[in-house]
Amino acid sequence: EVQLVESGGGVVRPGGSLRLSCAASGFTFDDYGMSWVRQAPGRGLEWVSTINWNGGSTGYADAVKGRFTISRDSAKNSVYLQMNSLRAEDTALYHCARGTPYTRFDPWGQGALVTVSS
Amino acid sequence: QSALTQPPSASGSPGQSVAISCTGTSSDVGAYNYVSWYQQHPGKAPKLMIYEVTKRPSGVPDRFSGSKSGNTASLTVSGLQAEDEADYYCSSYAGSNMGVFGGGTKLTVL
């Protein structure tokens, strides 16, 4: 069974940093690109970032470019999202998803909640 | 990176058909056949329903179908059932390793 499990969420002050992790299992991790998609409370889905199968290509939403960095570790079957200079508007449930915008997001993890508040 | 445009709400009675539109631009929906649709029930993770405009993953009922014309994609749900009541989101590739989602449509089964 394909599983994606996020961790690393929490409460952080504006300007702070947080690193999300997503542990993948049940499929050949190196065959797939991976993505992060967030959902602010009561709001819709927002694509955040994508990394291709070998980590050689990445993409970021304008809202996070220069502040967030996506990476992956094939030895640990994991993808990460380093979030710096966090703002209140980054408060959201962050989902990890297998796939990219040019394939499909399937499946999704249950998400890690990030709250940016003073 | 502007969000794709979806109607906030749609509704239909059991057994009826309903279509949800997703309008983008010539740089995203109109440029690529990488439009996908996701169903999200309250408190749950999104679920893939349609990918590459018209393809249906295994396990998704054939009551769900997708299409595209120009800059607008559509999801049609035929033979509405109570369990179809959910939020639906479209997504498109926007070039340069970027993606974009629609604002979401709340589907109500009357």
Side-chain angles (χ1 to χ4, degrees), chain A residues 1-7 20-30 32-37 51 72 76-80 93-100 104-112, chain B residues 38 45-47:
Chain A
E1 180 194 5
V2 175
Q3 272 200 314
L4 300 171
V5 180
E6 300 93 338
S7 61
L20 302 182
S21 300
C22 170
S25 61
F27 64 99
T28 303
F29 184 70
D30 290 349
Y32 290 87
M34 299 292 293
S35 297
W36 289 94
V37 178
I51 188 167
R72 61 188 295 156
K76 296 183 178 180
N77 281 2
S78 292
V79 62
Y80 307 98
L93 185 64
Y94 284 73
H95 293 279
C96 168
R98 184 179 69 174
T100 70
R104 53 199 180 268
F105 304 118
D106 180 48
W108 299 56
Q110 289 300 314
Chain B
Y38 302 88
K47 175 188 175 184

Side-chain angles (χ1 to χ4, degrees), chain B residues 25-65:
Chain B
T25 70
S26 57
S27 296
D28 39 60
V29 175
Y32 307 98
N33 287 324
Y34 295 129
V35 175
S36 50
W37 290 90
Y38 302 88
Q39 177 191 66
Q40 187 179 35
H41 287 109
K44 301 293 187 181
K47 175 188 175 184
L48 175 70
M49 304 302 285
I50 296 288
Y51 67 101
E52 291 178 15
V53 179
T54 62
K55 297 179 180 178
R56 201 171 43 249
S58 60
V60 172
D62 60 6
R63 303 184 292 102
F64 291 84
S65 62

